[in-house]
């Protein structure tokens, strides 16, 4: 997969060079410094059994994010988009979280086609429209979108037909989406052996994410699975796909529904990297409603299944939902989010318990000092129960209280 991503980057760079007659570069950047206080357990990527982002032994004050969300517009309908991010935990990575070409036609009869090719997020999320797929509402994403940021990215092509909101369409708009991709075969690994959690870390291309030493990986059935996941790997040579539909209603309400299927062959494994192809599929539905111009409700739910191994030795259902209320008052934004999440173990491998569940409450306040500076604070109460923790310390249940203060500098390119 690393070579595939390298070839993709080279191809996009060559295209950009070929189009370099008349270009316009634009974008935004973000530097965020964070102070966080929690129960100081080792985070999963250290690797440990903590479920908060910054774990034991890490500095309380850190540059938690550096991102440049950029685009190059050519003298045509083509544009090149990318997000370059610095991720400090655990070992200071700099890489792409998105890189793709986009072709957008002019509207005809009120409709237009949009094509994307490269590596990118499908537009599942209703809470991550800000710089570099971040959230303007909370610092730490919901469990749904924290997992998408970790393990879900597509490398392929997407075609959408869009009708924007116009007077002719009576204030309603829609977009229908179809995508085909490779990579993303190991998606589901963290759900099985760590479970959902709440954080704001995004995986960069070609990244390897460690997780805690699960006892079942020492058994003959799972001995070839590495104690890490390379979430964007291609293992089985098969194509995955997704379908999506967006609908806007008179500038007051919007919904989207997606079906995602990586079409993984769970019997396939790359013995060199220790990565299986997981058969992972889910449906995601999201909704935003404007109570007033300043007060919005956001909701999202996900329901799916993931499995790996010959005869689907590991077979798990999973589900999650959140409800978020946000209010903007002058330079202040106040947000509160409640959520639940669960992984249900369906297989017969008693030596490998995968069930987990939890719920969280997040309260956030942000203050816009000026066009460049934003400060804020957040409290997260997170309760999780993960079955395979019991073999580690006899305590599957865990409660975490996280206090976070952040200062953020934004700039335009």
């Amino acid at each position: 997969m690393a070579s595939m991503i390298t070839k993709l980057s080279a191809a996009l760079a060559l295209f950009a060079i070929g189009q370099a007659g008349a270009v316009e570069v634009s974008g935004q950047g973000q530097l965020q410094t964070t102070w966080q206080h929690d129960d100081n357990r080792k985070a999963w990527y250290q690797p440990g059994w903590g479920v908060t982002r910054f774990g034991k032994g890490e500095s309380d004050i850190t540059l938690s994010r550096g991102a440049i969300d950029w685009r190059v517009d050519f003298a045509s309908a083509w544009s090149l988009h990318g997000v370059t991010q610095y991720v400090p935990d655990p070992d200071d990575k700099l890489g792409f979280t998105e890189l793709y070409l986009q072709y957008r036609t002019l509207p005809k009869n009120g409709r237009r086609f949009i094509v994307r090719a490269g590596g990118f997020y499908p537009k599942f999320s209703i809470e991550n429209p800000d710089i570099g797929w971040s959230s303007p509402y909370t610092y730490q994403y919901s469990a749904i979108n924290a997992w998408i940021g970790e393990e879900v990215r597509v490398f392929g092509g997407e075609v959408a037909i869009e009708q924007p909101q116009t007077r002719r369409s009576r204030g309603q708009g829609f977009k229908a989406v179809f995508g085909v991709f490779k990579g993303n075969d190991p998606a589901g690994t963290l759900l099985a052996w760590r479970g959902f959690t709440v954080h704001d870390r995004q995986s960069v291309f070609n990244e390897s994410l460690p997780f805690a030493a699960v006892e079942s990986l020492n058994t003959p059935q799972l001995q070839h699975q590495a104690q890490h996941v390379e979430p964007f790997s291609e293992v089985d040579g098969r194509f995955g796909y997704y379908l999506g539909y967006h609908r806007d209603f008179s500038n007051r309400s919007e919904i989207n529904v997606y079906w995602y299927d990586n079409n993984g062959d769970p019997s396939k494994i790359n013995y060199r990297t220790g990565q299986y192809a997981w058969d992972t599929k889910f449906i995601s539905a999201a909704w935003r409603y404007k109570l007033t111009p300043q007060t919005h409700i956001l909701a999202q739910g996900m329901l799916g299944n993931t499995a790996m191994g010959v005869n689907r030795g590991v077979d798990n259902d999973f589900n999650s939902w959140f409800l978020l209320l946000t209010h903007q008052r002058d330079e202040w934004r106040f947000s509160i989010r409640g959520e639940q999440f669960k992984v249900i173990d369906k297989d017969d491998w008693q030596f490998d318990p995968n069930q987990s569940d939890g719920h969280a409450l997040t309260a956030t306040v942000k203050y816009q000092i000026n066009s460049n500076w934003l400060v804020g604070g957040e409290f997260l109460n997170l309760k999780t129960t993960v079955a395979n923790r019991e073999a580690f310390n006899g305590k599957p249940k865990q409660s975490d209280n996280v206090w976070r203060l952040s200062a953020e500098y934004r700039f335009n390119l």
Side-chain angles (χ1 to χ4, degrees):
M1 186 62 188
S3 62
M4 187 177 95
I5 294 174
T6 302
K7 291 176 182 177
L8 168 67
S9 302
L12 296 181
L14 288 172
F15 178 90
I17 292 170
Q19 295 285 322
V23 300
E24 179 180 343
V25 179
S26 61
Q28 292 180 293
Q30 175 192 59
L31 295 172
Q32 185 182 98
T33 300
T34 292
W35 171 86
Q36 180 168 307
H37 177 73
D38 56 26
D39 294 320
N40 207 26
R41 298 181 176 93
K42 288 180 68 175
W44 67 92
Y45 52 77
Q46 287 186 306
W49 288 100
V51 290
T52 59
R53 180 178 172 187
F54 297 108
K56 186 175 182 180
E58 295 182 293
S59 174
D60 288 339
I61 300 178
T62 184
L63 178 63
S64 55
R65 182 184 316 286
I68 298 179
D69 193 332
W70 53 270
R71 64 180 288 166
V72 179
D73 288 287
F74 306 106
S76 64
W78 289 95
S79 55
L80 178 65
H81 300 244
V83 178
T84 307
Q85 292 212 36
Y86 163 70
V87 184
D89 43 334
D91 52 5
D92 298 305
K93 292 183 176 67
L94 180 67
F96 290 113
T97 51
E98 293 191 277
L99 181 64
Y100 62 92
L101 276 172
Q102 180 170 282
Y103 180 78
R104 182 189 293 260
T105 65
L106 293 173
K108 184 177 181 180
N109 298 323
R111 297 178 182 177
R112 63 186 171 203
F113 285 92
I114 303 170
V115 179
R116 297 198 290 172
F120 50 85
Y121 288 105
K123 297 186 182 296
F124 307 129
S125 175
I126 200 79
E127 70 170 343
N128 293 68
D130 213 345
I131 298 173
W133 202 80
S134 62
S135 170
Y137 313 110
T138 61
Y139 289 108
Q140 299 176 95
Y141 316 147
S142 65
I144 291 174
N145 291 306
W147 175 63
I148 289 174
E150 290 175 319
E151 285 203 301
V152 178
R153 214 72 45 85
V154 300
F155 297 87
E158 176 188 280
V159 179
I161 179 171
E162 179 182 62
Q163 178 178 283
Q165 294 181 11
T166 62
R167 183 178 300 175
R168 181 177 178 180
S169 67
R170 298 179 181 178
Q172 298 191 18
F174 75 87
K175 182 167 71 173
V177 182
F178 174 69
V180 177
F181 62 91
K182 279 198 169 184
N184 224 182
D185 283 343
T189 304
L190 290 178
L191 291 185
W193 291 314
R194 185 211 59 195
F196 282 105
T197 188
V198 178
H199 62 79
D200 62 334
R201 189 188 189 282
Q202 297 180 44
S203 303
V204 301
F205 293 178
N206 292 331
E207 185 162 15
S208 172
L209 296 172
F211 52 85
V214 179
E215 186 70 25
S216 58
L217 299 191
N218 297 319
T219 62
Q221 293 91 333
L222 291 170
Q223 62 180 320
H224 299 299
Q225 169 66 47
Q227 196 185 312
H228 67 266
V229 57
E230 299 175 15
F232 312 138
S233 297
E234 176 57 44
V235 178
D236 60 10
R238 291 160 60 164
F239 285 91
Y241 74 95
Y242 59 91
L243 302 166
Y245 182 75
H246 296 246
R247 186 81 181 188
D248 298 325
F249 300 93
S250 303
N251 290 314
R252 188 160 189 180
S253 180
E254 60 180 287
I255 62 169
N256 74 61
V257 179
Y258 274 83
W259 171 257
Y260 166 99
D261 186 349
N262 75 349
N263 191 34
D265 180 349
S267 67
K268 299 297 183 182
I269 181 174
N270 183 325
Y271 289 99
R272 180 179 61 82
T273 62
Q275 302 298 299
Y276 274 88
W278 292 64
D279 182 15
T280 300
K281 51 181 66 70
F282 60 79
I283 186 169
S284 169
W287 172 65
R288 179 201 307 274
Y289 183 75
K290 298 179 181 179
L291 294 170
T292 71
Q294 295 78 33
T295 307
H296 299 180
I297 296 174
L298 289 78
Q300 187 173 355
M302 178 180 283
L303 181 68
N305 176 266
T306 185
M308 62 82 79
V310 178
N311 299 320
R312 302 173 71 90
V314 178
D315 189 356
N316 301 314
D317 288 341
F318 59 90
N319 62 77
S320 182
W321 62 265
F322 74 82
L323 184 66
L324 185 151
L325 177 66
T326 185
H327 176 73
Q328 180 90 41
R329 182 179 176 86
D330 299 325
E331 291 81 15
W332 293 89
R333 178 180 289 279
F334 305 91
S335 303
I336 186 166
R337 182 185 65 219
E339 59 188 305
Q340 288 189 328
F341 39 87
K342 180 177 290 189
V343 176
I344 303 165
D345 192 340
K346 296 175 56 184
D347 58 69
D348 297 325
W349 284 3
Q350 301 299 317
F351 60 85
D352 179 45
N354 303 130
Q355 63 267 23
S356 62
D357 64 78
H359 58 272
L361 180 67
T362 306
T364 310
V365 57
K366 296 186 178 185
Y367 179 72
Q368 185 83 46
I369 298 174
N370 54 41
S371 60
N372 296 111
W373 285 98
L374 182 73
V375 296
E378 183 169 272
F379 172 72
L380 166 66
N381 175 252
L382 175 62
K383 290 182 169 61
T384 56
T385 303
V386 179
N388 58 30
R389 281 189 197 138
E390 189 164 10
F392 172 72
N393 62 6
K395 298 178 180 179
K397 293 185 178 181
Q398 187 170 300
S399 180
D400 292 271
N401 292 310
V402 181
W403 294 92
R404 180 168 177 168
L405 299 176
S406 289
E408 182 179 318
Y409 179 73
R410 298 188 173 205
F411 56 93
N412 294 319
L413 298 183

